[in-house]
Amino acid sequence: MKTRTITRADLDLTEFSFGGAPLGNLYQEINDDDAASTLDAAWEAGLRYFDTAPHYGLGLSERRFAAGLSARPRSEYVLSTKVGRRLIPRESGPLGPDPDFAVPASHKRVWDFSRDGILRTLEASLTRLGTDHVDIVYLHDPDDHWEEAASAGFGTLDELRSQGVVRAIGVGMNQSAMLTRFVRETDLDVVMLAGRYTLLEQGALDDLLPAALERNTAVVAVGVFNSGLLSQPRPAPGAKYNYADAPAELVRRANDIADVCERHRVTLPAAALHFPLMHPAVVSVAIGMNSAAQVERNMDLYALTIPADLWDELHEVGLVRRTA
């Protein structure tokens, strides 16, 4: 599989990479065997960048990565996790369901971008992951915590980078505006942008992507299917957008894009997967998967060649911005 480089860190990522949220039982429960077979299929397909976080299933995703990658040579893949949401065990007693993942609420999440909080969170992640190091650490969704994240949070990651504990540091968010501020005001290697540079919306062209090129900061694009709205040849009934029911206007727009795709004998999800990779700042597209069949399907999409005429028509009819 082709790779692209986080230039600041001299770190190569596969263009297509593995997002770990579904292995934490996002939306639905999967068993350990299915998680293992998903990771096996991803490895056999050539994926070598794997991303996870403590938030994903209260550590379940990290533990499944440990099990699924333990037999793989550690030097042959890139592993990232996130800090900022520290897991605190709940007091004993009956456990209800976690509000975000299909797991028991054995822990609570506490926002903590302090030096001590980050070091504790990373140490716990390394234990769950069964490794002595990760390659990339991201500050995770610091939307309401700019002051602490940009000062103590970034400072701690910068310290870890300078000590050689991690090779690259970054921030991951669902918005481009604050990511842009991080890129311009701190010394990041990479940012993870969720859902804001896709076939459906290209707001990051106004701020983050130009800043990333100017500052030589790499971008990992995630959420490229916009929570599922672009994941099928046609938006499915009840399709989600930003983890909620998709507005009718966006469903119509997705169908309009699908019309153009069909005229060029390309499916909507194939175009959606390839679209972010057309931008020079983007080094990888990470997609969450929870079965070997999903890995195979997405690899088939990645292997396709998208005709240039498709992008031309999307520009001409105003469905994709001309600067994309």
Side-chain angles (χ1 to χ4, degrees), residues 49-114:
Y49 173 35
F50 300 87
D51 173 70
T52 184
H55 172 56
Y56 302 157
L58 298 174
L60 178 62
S61 175
E62 291 182 321
R63 291 192 294 272
R64 284 174 163 169
F65 272 30
L69 296 174
S70 62
R72 312 297 183 183
R74 182 63 187 85
S75 62
E76 293 186 10
Y77 64 92
V78 174
L79 182 62
S80 63
T81 192
K82 304 179 183 74
V83 293
R85 283 177 167 130
R86 189 156 53 93
L87 302 183
I88 306 296
R90 292 189 182 274
E91 297 179 359
S92 59
L95 298 177
D98 181 76
D100 299 308
F101 294 81
V103 296
S106 59
H107 292 67
K108 61 181 179 180
R109 302 170 178 86
V110 176
W111 291 106
D112 191 347
F113 292 95
S114 69

Side-chain angles (χ1 to χ4, degrees), residues 3 8 39 54 59 75 136 156:
T3 62
R8 284 171 169 261
L39 286 169
S75 62
I136 307 171
T156 304

Side-chain angles (χ1 to χ4, degrees), residues 54-276:
H55 172 56
Y56 302 157
L58 298 174
L60 178 62
S61 175
E62 291 182 321
R63 291 192 294 272
R64 284 174 163 169
F65 272 30
L69 296 174
S70 62
R72 312 297 183 183
R74 182 63 187 85
S75 62
E76 293 186 10
Y77 64 92
V78 174
L79 182 62
S80 63
T81 192
K82 304 179 183 74
V83 293
R85 283 177 167 130
R86 189 156 53 93
L87 302 183
I88 306 296
R90 292 189 182 274
E91 297 179 359
S92 59
L95 298 177
D98 181 76
D100 299 308
F101 294 81
V103 296
S106 59
H107 292 67
K108 61 181 179 180
R109 302 170 178 86
V110 176
W111 291 106
D112 191 347
F113 292 95
S114 69
R115 183 179 188 278
D116 181 66
I118 285 174
L119 295 178
R120 288 188 182 192
T121 299
L122 182 56
E123 181 180 12
S125 287
L126 293 175
T127 298
R128 286 189 293 268
L129 287 164
T131 184
D132 61 358
H133 74 284
V134 291
D135 302 284
I136 307 171
V137 178
Y138 296 98
L139 300 175
H140 198 181
D141 291 340
D143 301 67
D144 299 321
H145 306 275
W146 163 260
E147 294 298 336
E148 186 175 41
S151 54
F154 169 76
T156 304
L157 294 192
D158 188 35
E159 178 185 340
L160 293 173
R161 177 176 59 183
S162 66
Q163 294 171 349
V165 177
V166 298
R167 293 186 61 181
I169 61 174
V171 181
M173 302 181 74
N174 292 285
Q175 59 156 300
S176 62
M178 189 179 287
L179 278 183
T180 305
R181 191 175 177 189
F182 271 105
V183 167
R184 293 200 177 279
E185 299 184 27
T186 67
D187 187 24
L188 299 177
D189 302 302
V190 58
V191 293
M192 180 170 281
L193 175 65
R196 304 286 78 84
Y197 188 64
T198 72
L199 263 183
L200 202 59
E201 55 180 293
Q202 295 98 49
L205 285 171
D206 295 327
D207 47 23
L208 177 63
L209 294 174
L213 288 177
E214 178 185 330
R215 298 276 291 166
N216 200 24
T217 304
V219 176
V220 174
V222 301
V224 299
F225 295 142
N226 283 119
S227 301
L229 187 54
L230 304 180
S231 65
Q232 301 298 324
R234 290 283 172 175
K240 302 296 182 182
Y241 169 78
N242 277 5
Y243 310 105
D245 290 340
E249 178 183 353
L250 289 183
V251 173
R252 286 194 297 271
R253 185 176 181 85
N255 275 303
D256 290 343
I257 296 172
D259 288 340
V260 178
C261 289
E262 289 174 4
R263 284 198 288 273
H264 294 272
R265 299 183 180 181
V266 172
T267 66
L268 181 62
L273 190 153
H274 282 267
F275 174 77

